[in-house]
Amino acid sequence: MTVNDANVVAVAAAAADSHDALVDKVSTLTVAQNSDGTPAEPQSQSQPDKADEQKKRPDSTVPPHRSHDPQYNQKRSDPFQFGSRYLGEEDDVFEFNAWDHVEPDETYEEYAEQQYAMQRQAPVSEFDKMRFNSDPAKWWNLFYKNNTANFFKDRKWLQQEFPILEEVTQEDAGPRTVLEIGAGAGNTAFPILQRNKNPRLKLHACDFSKKAVEVMRAHESYNPEFMQADVWDVAGEELPPGLSDGTVDVAIMIFIFSALSPRQWKKAVENVYRVLKPGGVVCFRDYGRGDLAQVRFKKGRYLEENFYIRGDGTRVYFFEKSELADIWSGKLSEPGEEGEAKEDQENGASAGLVKPRFEIEQLGVDRRLLVNRAKKLKMYRCWIQGRFKKQ
């Protein structure tokens, strides 16, 4: 990798946002999202003739995913398709603001490995590890105190990614209970309620930040008839207030599992398994390893492999696809518990409970290349999305 290549990647890393707004806003460099989740291309003053020509020609030979006009954007039939704008060898990478299913190039991969090596050599101090891990709720409280409800955009794309969320809100769906874990300021819960036509829907929105719950309860759309917001730690010993074993139809976990320590995964999965009905579904989306948000971390942020502390004190983990499959299917134990995992497999139980096992119905990696066409910068994003069913 040349010095110039390294500089380009480093500048791109610095251009990324510093928090989960990278996901909800994607980037200040990106454009609005279409209903199918793909970036919509704005009408550019430099391309008025091309856009106008497409509008006049409904039978245009331009493929829908290459159109600069949102009205021709291709709609997805498979929620896990993650878009259809593929980057070919002869394409101009800077023609659009985003491309789907793009693997990182060698320059980025080399830069990422250099970053990981630097991060490992300059980890968080033992004192700070204790400070950040002992009370993570404290840092999330500070985060929501400073950012309130305006930091994230409403996740109106969820029904497209998880059609079951559309199904439970239909007028004839009958009694349905939805639990959002890590609800934050309600940017998932409130869009669901706005679309809801089911008079028998109950949505429990839980977060282990007291401040986040206060923000939700103070929201103008908060309606106790359909929604209940409570403080709850998914890795704690109790189930959410108002819920008991086997009472939830759908659990939503959007960028929440990554906030947990690897030592909390087992308990969190157990609690989700307990609260779901047989056949209940988990709608899951989180960060994938190699995402720009991971690569850009500087010295003093590394807690352990793939696990970091952000500048605001909140934690974030970056997952491998196979790792998540093992966690949710019951194959992966907590760190240092290989012997216990083997015993659990032989006995089929742990601490008197049925060992949580989810069927991995869908699990996909959403890779996206975002570009700044003006500055000629490329930014590689990586998220993992899944749908897990309680067996």
Side-chain angles (χ1 to χ4, degrees), residues 230-248:
D230 293 296
V231 176
W232 181 59
D233 181 359
V234 66
E237 296 300 322
E238 305 293 333
L239 292 184
L243 295 173
S244 56
D245 292 69
T247 56
V248 171

Side-chain angles (χ1 to χ4, degrees), residues 328-349:
W328 287 92
S329 63
K331 297 178 182 178
L332 188 66
S333 62
E334 293 180 10
E337 292 191 350
E338 289 80 2
E340 179 182 329
K342 182 177 180 180
E343 182 179 348
D344 287 348
Q345 290 177 356
E346 294 174 350
N347 298 334

Side-chain angles (χ1 to χ4, degrees), residues 20 253-259 284-288 316-317 319 324 382-386:
D20 296 80
M253 302 184 72
I254 307 297
F255 300 104
I256 168 61
F257 209 59
S258 56
F284 183 98
R285 187 172 173 91
D286 225 313
Y287 296 103
V316 60
Y317 189 95
F319 294 95
L324 284 171
C382 179
W383 304 290
I384 302 181
Q385 185 167 302

